[in-house]
Amino acid sequence: DDGAYSDGEREVRKHPKVFAKGGMLIGSCGSLRMPQIIQHCMHQPAHPKGMPVMRYLVGTWVPTLRKAMVDGSALTDKENSDLVMPDDSGILLGYRGSLFTVEDDGNVGEFVIPYMAIGSGEPHAMGALCQQTMLGDTRPPEVRVRDALEIAAAHINNVSGPFTIISTVEQE
């Protein structure tokens, strides 16, 4: 969702928490400073030819992310030295045909299921996506994602539209 929530207040930001950069689709939860730094300040490191995706993410992309967070004053170098992004933040990456999560400690997860969600609406969105998968839902992914977000919004106060859905597939 495009909402920002703090102390019971909600605001809708002009710039969504999902964007494309360097061949990746990137979504975030938690800190609003973090996606700004990733989108506008972080240098996207090159992915060496032949390097496995997980090795690239763990060994190259995540250390670059942490450096960008320190350089962008979203994270101090000494404080929270075990974190690569602000506490309780997370990233969902679509990259080279797979979904990955990056947790605030830099842990990169890749899953056997073909869907993933992050943020406060995660449990409800995951339930919706699971049911769609189990029922063999053949609707376009964008429709299924929107449904999962609407279900999360129906149950979690700090999830609401507008929803920005991006894809690696060019729309006709």
Side-chain angles (χ1 to χ4, degrees), residues 12-84:
V12 176
R13 295 280 179 117
K14 183 176 181 180
H15 303 285
K17 294 183 280 186
V18 296
F19 53 90
K21 180 173 182 173
M24 293 181 170
L25 298 181
I26 301 172
S28 67
C29 65
S31 166
L32 294 174
R33 176 82 175 124
M34 178 186 63
Q36 292 174 340
I37 292 169
I38 295 170
Q39 186 173 18
H40 301 292
C41 303
M42 180 176 147
H43 169 72
Q44 186 80 4
H47 185 152
K49 187 175 183 171
M51 179 182 280
V53 172
M54 184 61 87
R55 182 173 173 196
Y56 166 73
L57 292 174
V58 171
T60 305
W61 197 85
V62 167
T64 302
L65 171 67
R66 185 176 198 293
K67 182 176 182 334
M69 292 300 114
V70 170
D71 291 349
S73 300
L75 191 66
T76 63
D77 199 19
K78 293 180 183 174
E79 178 187 0
N80 298 322
S81 61
D82 59 332
L83 298 179
V84 299

